[in-house]
Amino acid sequence: MNNKMLQKLVETTSLEYFKQPFKHKAYFNSRLRTTGGRYVLSTHHIEINPKQFSRFGKEALINIIKHELCHYHLHLSGKGYQHKDHDFKMLSNKVQAPRFCQPIQSYEERANYIYQCCKCKTTYLRIRKVNTDKMRCGKCGSKLKLKMYL
């Protein structure tokens, strides 16, 4: 799927689920890493993570588009467009737009550090490095040591 096909898909999804036209640009942004898509407030464009389509297919892509279109239509109509707003929650439920997309990588795949308790030998996976002077084992309260950097 290319940007032209994505634009057409967003326009048809907007008309089908929201009964309103999508008048701005939709395109793939390969720099997105932790999110499935993004509605840009300043330009009203929608950016989509291409990895979501390649990994999960068209159905997942449509769900992301519906979520971003909720932000789009509510923002343009002057209503609450943020996740915390009542208007956003109501519209999301109405069009069955999911709150989150499926993660591309699991936590285990993203983990960079393995810590181990010095006493009970419990291991902990972490994406970011932690301060072993402050962090303790959740089971026994003993010190942690860095076992491996992945």
Side-chain angles (χ1 to χ4, degrees), residues 68-143:
E68 300 309 324
L69 283 172
C70 288
H71 291 296
Y72 173 80
H73 289 298
L74 289 169
H75 181 247
L76 291 180
S77 64
K79 296 180 181 175
Y81 60 88
Q82 295 179 340
H83 292 128
K84 65 182 179 182
D85 294 326
H86 181 72
D87 294 328
F88 182 84
K89 291 175 183 176
M90 295 299 291
L91 185 59
S92 292
N93 287 337
K94 182 181 174 187
V95 298
Q96 296 177 337
R99 175 74 171 87
F100 299 104
C101 64
Q102 294 177 312
I104 294 171
Q105 289 181 314
S106 67
Y107 189 86
E108 288 78 17
E109 292 171 326
R110 294 173 54 210
N112 297 318
Y113 301 93
I114 300 176
Y115 291 92
Q116 186 176 36
C117 176
C118 295
K119 189 174 183 182
C120 69
K121 305 298 181 203
T122 303
T123 58
Y124 298 95
L125 295 173
R126 293 293 176 261
I127 294 172
R128 292 184 171 181
K129 195 171 187 175
V130 299
N131 185 349
T132 55
D133 294 332
K134 292 182 180 179
M135 299 298 286
R136 297 292 183 135
C137 176
K139 289 188 175 181
C140 69
S142 294
K143 284 192 165 230

Side-chain angles (χ1 to χ4, degrees), residues 19-34:
K19 310 292 187 257
Q20 295 176 355
F22 178 72
K23 298 177 181 178
H24 293 83
K25 290 183 182 175
Y27 50 89
F28 286 112
N29 183 349
S30 59
R31 293 184 316 269
L32 296 178
R33 292 182 172 265
T34 59

